Amino acid sequence: MGFALRLILYVDMDYFFAACEEARHPELRGKPLITGTSPEETKFRGVVEAANYEARKFGIHSAMPTSMAYRLKPDIKYIYSDEPYYESISAKIMEMLSGYGFRMEVDSIDEAAMELDVADYPDALKLAKEIKQKIKQNFDLPCTIGVSTGKIFAKIVCDSAKPNGIRVLEEKDIQDFLKDKDIEKIPGVGRKTAEKLATLKIKKIGDLAKADPMMLIDSVGSFGRELFLIANGTDESTVEENVSVVSIGRERTLENNATKMNDIDSMLNNLTDEVISEVKKQKLMFKTIGVKARYADFTDRIKSKSFNTYSDSKDLVLSTARTLLGGLIGEKPVRKIGVRVSSLISVKGQRNLF
Ligand code: TTP
Ligand code: MG
Ligand code: MG
């Protein structure tokens, strides 16, 4: 069966650094909070990196001098940025997202785009809800998700649904949604481009849509063509896989929907063989084993188990995957299964140490 739609799901974490702090200091929740670039003793010399939404009510935002934030809210809570901690949470979130097996592009420490292979908008919405809930459950962090027919549209709609939101922008609604937005909402349109376009009286995306494309190209070069297309509802951006190896997985659709373990045993064995041979080829070991089941109604479930030591054992993958899939398979008919290993380390040249 073919898919009529190319849908992109865009996730951006809400007030990410500050939310990571709330997750480990729950007593800070609900109070205005910022993280900043300088240690407590010299905090007034630094700038704000993240502000939670309570702090934003006072006009405080990223990149503002911390001294200014204190002027706006003298009793604000301040935490000196702990980037290794935020990086480690980011890596775990990205690993979880990549476990879905979609083509995925990580765009920053707190955002990623995924090219879905769902059949329609309701399926995409279901998946977005599941991902949002999983991020909440696993990391105690809020995020916002946008879904649309291109990466740029999905990012813009994600921004518009913040905080703690989900929004699906259907193809038929794109131009109407975009027309009143400032052109700076389009990723890549910075101050310079905006100034050039302002001389053509182009301020809103709706102005771009009606502009003469040749004039746009004269003004901002080949980007002008892209901008014109975007404003008119065509997003040609692609999702570029850019995470080296966060995980190694294989998945495949079954010939007949499976209702019991017996129905999937031989495919599971083959998928595991393929995963293990890729692991060995890349000289890696793993600590986490995950499975995925896609049901006949196109909902996905993933499950994983992490171990304390690294391994490259096929038997371990097979037995773990069997147990995990055993918990998923009776529920509804299964049309596709996947096996994935993650939390990888490279064992290049160190083989004989293990
Ligand atoms: P953003 O996603 O831009 O912002 P955010 O997650 O704080 O808030 P939002 O809910 O609007 O998405 O940036 C992600 C993190 O990157 C942010 O938490 C802190 C860091 N950052 C900086 O260190 N300096 C900056 O100027 C910006 C914009 C972000
Ligand atoms: Mg964010
Ligand atoms: Mg971001």
Side-chain angles (χ1 to χ4, degrees):
M1 114 181 233
F3 299 107
L5 280 167
R6 184 185 74 110
L7 286 181
I8 310 300
L9 182 150
Y10 204 96
V11 192
D12 187 297
M13 303 301 295
D14 295 335
Y15 63 101
F16 184 52
F17 291 6
C20 290
E21 294 298 348
E22 287 182 359
R24 65 175 168 181
H25 303 292
E27 70 280 6
L28 294 173
R29 258 182 222 292
K31 296 173 187 147
L33 168 71
I34 53 175
T35 66
T37 51
S38 300
E40 181 66 31
E41 312 82 71
T42 56
K43 63 186 175 191
F44 295 114
R45 279 190 244 148
V47 298
V48 176
E49 286 191 324
N52 69 2
Y53 282 78
E54 286 82 1
R56 291 185 204 191
K57 286 185 202 146
F58 297 90
I60 296 166
H61 55 77
S62 300
M64 168 183 279
T66 302
S67 55
M68 169 85 92
Y70 269 92
R71 238 171 290 147
L72 292 166
K73 181 65 179 152
D75 63 345
I76 194 150
K77 302 277 175 220
Y78 178 85
I79 294 183
Y80 173 35
S81 174
D82 180 0
E83 284 192 26
Y85 167 61
Y86 315 139
E87 290 278 359
S88 74
I89 294 177
S90 169
K92 285 184 198 141
I93 294 170
M94 298 309 170
E95 183 178 315
M96 188 213 95
L97 294 177
S98 95
Y100 277 90
F102 300 119
R103 172 185 287 280
M104 175 169 142
E105 173 180 315
V106 176
D107 279 347
S108 82
I109 191 168
D110 84 329
E111 61 206 86
M114 294 194 276
E115 186 163 337
L116 305 182
D117 63 354
V118 297
D120 56 28
Y121 293 111
D123 282 343
L125 178 62
K126 232 187 275 174
L127 194 57
K129 284 182 178 163
E130 184 192 308
I131 288 173
K132 187 164 160 53
Q133 193 192 0
K134 237 184 197 107
I135 292 178
K136 183 72 196 157
Q137 265 170 9
N138 293 356
F139 305 101
D140 200 13
L141 292 173
C143 68
T144 298
I145 296 179
V147 176
S148 192
T149 59
K151 188 173 68 183
I152 291 172
F153 296 152
K155 182 177 166 68
I156 299 174
V157 77
C158 173
D159 281 347
S160 80
K162 273 186 170 290
N164 202 23
I166 293 184
R167 185 157 173 196
V168 178
L169 177 62
E170 298 191 18
E171 194 165 17
K172 63 178 171 45
D173 302 322
I174 290 172
Q175 274 169 275
D176 202 46
F177 168 80
L178 291 176
K179 70 173 193 282
D180 298 323
K181 303 252 177 308
D182 293 334
I183 54 174
E184 286 94 333
K185 288 275 176 199
I186 301 174
V189 176
R191 197 174 48 84
K192 273 193 188 160
T193 306
E195 277 169 9
K196 284 184 194 159
L197 293 174
T199 65
L200 303 175
K201 297 212 162 27
I202 295 169
K203 294 213 158 71
K204 302 284 179 192
I205 300 179
D207 303 331
L208 263 181
K210 287 177 286 180
D212 171 4
M214 280 322 195
M215 226 165 64
L216 294 176
I217 292 167
D218 278 345
S219 167
V220 300
S222 62
F223 190 33
R225 174 183 173 273
E226 204 182 314
L227 290 175
F228 180 78
L229 289 174
I230 286 167
N232 284 288
T234 300
D235 181 349
E236 292 183 331
S237 62
T238 53
V239 174
E240 302 290 339
E241 204 119 34
N242 61 353
V243 182
S244 47
V245 246
V246 179
S247 66
I248 291 175
R250 291 289 182 274
E251 49 190 73
R252 204 155 297 143
T253 303
L254 297 147
E255 262 172 53
N256 301 299
N257 288 348
T259 52
K260 54 189 189 305
M261 282 306 282
N262 251 344
D263 302 338
I264 61 166
D265 251 351
S266 79
M267 182 173 290
L268 180 59
N269 189 59
N270 293 342
L271 292 172
T272 304
D273 271 335
E274 291 175 30
V275 168
I276 289 295
S277 82
E278 188 62 29
V279 163
K280 299 210 162 158
K281 195 172 113 200
Q282 298 198 33
K283 300 196 169 50
L284 297 166
M285 294 178 101
F286 51 82
K287 249 181 3 186
T288 302
I289 297 167
V291 298
K292 163 172 165 174
R294 168 163 294 176
Y295 295 110
D297 63 4
F298 274 86
T299 52
D300 287 329
R301 288 284 305 279
I302 58 174
K303 269 194 168 184
S304 65
K305 180 172 165 60
S306 291
F307 296 86
N308 290 325
T309 51
Y310 287 97
S311 166
D312 62 1
S313 152
K314 179 188 166 184
D315 288 345
L316 182 67
V317 175
L318 203 50
S319 65
T320 307
R322 276 210 182 98
T323 308
L324 294 172
L325 278 167
L328 299 177
I329 198 131
E331 266 179 46
K332 290 182 272 187
V334 170
R335 68 184 307 270
K336 187 179 193 178
I337 58 167
V339 185
R340 184 168 295 273
V341 296
S342 55
S343 310
L344 302 170
I345 53 160
S346 170
V347 290
K348 276 183 196 122
Q350 308 172 23
R351 206 53 240 245
N352 43 12
L353 291 178
F354 290 88

